[in-house]
Amino acid sequence: MAVLDVQNLTLSFGENTLFDGVSFDIKEKEKVGLIGVNGAGKTSLFKIIKGDYEPDSGACFISRNARLGYMEQHTCSENRTVWEELVSVFDELMTMESELAAVNYNLREGIGSQTENIERQDELTTRFQREGGLTYKSLTRSALIGLGFEEKDFDMPTAKLSGGQRSKLILAKLLLSKADFLLLDEPTNHLDIKAVEWLEGFLKDFSGAVLIISHDRYFLDKITTKTVEIENGKCRSYQGNYSAFLVKKAAEQKAIEEKYENDMKEIERLEGIIAQQRQWNREKNIKTAESKEKVIERIKAQLVVPDKMVERIRFDFTPKAVSGEDVLDVSELKKSFGDKDIFDNVGFHISRGEKVFLLGDNGCGKTTLLKILMKDYAADGGNFKFGTNVFCGYFDQVQAKLDLSKTVLEEVWSNFSYMTETSVRSALAAFLFKGEDVYKNLSECSGGERARVALLKLMLGRYNFLLLDEPTNHLDAFSREELENTLLDYSGTMLIVSHDRYFINKLASRILELTPHGVKEYLGDYDRYLESKNNALPAQTGTKTDKAPRQNDYKRKKERASQLRKARTRLKKCEEEIEQTENEVAEIEEKLTTSDYEELMKLTALLDETTQRRDVLYEEWEELSLMLNDE
């Protein structure tokens, strides 16, 4: 039985048709992935299912027995703790529990009719157990721990949660609600790998149906049994997970293209015969020509034209020089912020051509380590050394080094002034910035657009050692595929921080797991790394036993003073930017109440981008404040 039946949906905004004739269904207990490039209409389709948008034509039917659940249904009260907020999902059970306690008290104290109390006790006990009363507290705790909260966070007021923590709590409320048909739009955002793995386990055991929008291809492979793709305004369904979809779609497209090519050749051949027959112009020849024209009409009537290829980013990271065999040597590296030790005794070696991934829990210092290597932060101990002829390029996941006052064209051109405007615009076109897009201010660009600008600058630098911090964030699945395929052929060396397990699996030759007291090394891809951890196989300890040369105390103090000056300056700038983004959020929220559908769509996307930018600023502010706290 179908919990969702989508029939011939069409949705337009003005003259722009987002999709046309979209049809698919979802059965009970089916886990379905909804994929497509950014802007294909996935979130708009969700809004139609929820009833927020009215389609231009077609219909969407949800089974009357299905209880629909989605993130926007759930909010966070400002007057509760984290625990109180999540356990409120079980209000009915807690009310029942309180009444049961009152009935038990009456029985002990002999209050009221004993017969009525016993009957009520039996009734409440049966319902309480049947509806999960014995497990709701353990489920609440499991969800909080699984999604990355610690025991000490349970009593934290929800008003103090960061944007990412609030999203996790709302996701937990949705998962523990009584909904049996879930709509999940990028549920792995804000989650580290451990939390994503917990979510995978929850959804595998979930007895209802799920429709998931996600760019996390490994997650889709683990959860989904069916894939629905929106491309070029059309919709196709494929049985199987994301990887199965890729294989089936490639085979389908190849068959369509081959048949189209053969049909066009046959039409061309028949047209030649017709021209020849008409040239002879006898009655028999005319009949032959007319017969062949009918054949052409039949071929054209069933002709399937292949979909135009979706425009994708064209990457090329060919380095300008070959580095030495030894690319990076790290020894006994240590970093703290105030009294908080981030990591120490970190040591590892990277050779030319290696594709090394740096993994670890959120907050373990992965980004901090990259910033130390780029000399944005000073280490508190240890040292590192780059090899001969090594040219480093760094991708920052928050694009902090982009000048938001510049246009897209100005930002790229100012960094590569030797290039002509034509060559810069050609490079931008390869990254999907065309026409007037190149004059768009970076401050008005989405996170995805800024990521593309940062990746283009990285590409034009032609570096032979790439330090990449979450490079697939903001990229849709198809752009991620293009980036992966390019980096697979990249002849240089890479050190990458990423939560994208599909990406790690495709590229990794070695994995470094960062811990508070060093790194553990694992050969191979993510699956091999996971197998080693699950089977408790010994990992190599990535620390150096050779003593690093002591730094000159004066030089160390000078570097520390310079670091603190930069931190104070950045802290002040952070506070200004936070105030500005708070004002922007308030203005956007005010406009939302008076906007039409088209404007609402743009404002909603802008609000998401602005709040994400604000959350990143708050996290940076907290980190800087911690650094300066004891000075």
Side-chain angles (χ1 to χ4, degrees), residues 334-403:
K334 178 180 180 179
K335 183 61 183 174
S336 302
F337 290 117
D339 291 332
K340 184 179 180 182
D341 293 332
I342 306 300
F343 53 72
D344 65 14
N345 202 33
V346 170
F348 56 89
H349 180 85
I350 296 178
S351 300
R352 186 177 66 219
E354 281 196 291
K355 296 175 173 63
V356 181
F357 279 77
L358 183 65
L359 307 186
D361 295 337
N362 279 357
C364 72
K366 301 184 293 295
T367 295
T368 298
L369 178 56
L370 294 190
K371 288 183 177 291
I372 289 172
L373 296 177
M374 293 305 298
K375 299 184 179 178
D376 292 337
Y377 289 168
D380 296 327
N383 58 58
F384 61 91
K385 180 182 179 182
F386 290 104
T388 306
N389 214 29
V390 172
F391 300 97
C392 278
Y394 174 50
F395 178 85
D396 179 2
Q397 64 169 309
V398 296
Q399 290 92 54
K401 295 187 177 181
L402 294 181
D403 187 343

Side-chain angles (χ1 to χ4, degrees), residues 175-207:
L175 297 176
L176 298 187
S177 70
K178 292 183 178 180
D180 53 16
F181 175 32
L182 301 179
L183 299 182
L184 300 179
D185 192 349
E186 296 293 351
T188 60
N189 281 1
H190 306 293
L191 302 184
D192 61 17
I193 289 179
K194 283 185 179 178
V196 173
E197 289 172 347
W198 177 88
L199 178 59
E200 287 169 355
F202 182 95
L203 292 176
K204 281 180 184 177
D205 295 334
F206 180 61
S207 59

Side-chain angles (χ1 to χ4, degrees), residues 67-110:
R67 290 165 294 184
L68 182 63
Y70 49 90
M71 293 276 283
E72 291 84 349
Q73 285 176 319
H74 302 277
T75 56
C76 280
S77 166
E78 299 293 320
N79 303 316
R80 289 173 172 165
T81 64
V82 168
W83 175 269
E84 290 168 345
E85 184 62 28
L86 183 53
V87 84
S88 68
V89 170
F90 302 105
D91 274 344
E92 290 182 15
L93 284 173
M94 288 191 290
T95 301
M96 208 183 305
E97 192 173 32
S98 297
E99 187 179 350
L100 190 56
V103 170
N104 290 337
Y105 176 81
N106 291 342
L107 279 170
R108 285 197 310 271
E109 301 298 324

Side-chain angles (χ1 to χ4, degrees), residues 319 321-331 348-356 370 373-375 383-393 463-468 490-496 509-510 512 544:
V322 178
S323 72
E325 179 63 29
D326 298 318
V327 173
L328 175 64
D329 192 66
V330 175
S331 178
F348 56 89
H349 180 85
I350 296 178
S351 300
R352 186 177 66 219
E354 281 196 291
K355 296 175 173 63
V356 181
L370 294 190
L373 296 177
M374 293 305 298
K375 299 184 179 178
N383 58 58
F384 61 91
K385 180 182 179 182
F386 290 104
T388 306
N389 214 29
V390 172
F391 300 97
C392 278
Y463 305 104
N464 56 23
F465 185 27
L466 300 180
L467 302 179
L468 308 178
Y490 174 64
S491 61
T493 310
M494 293 183 289
L495 176 60
I496 307 173
S509 58
R510 184 158 55 105
L512 303 177
K544 289 282 184 177

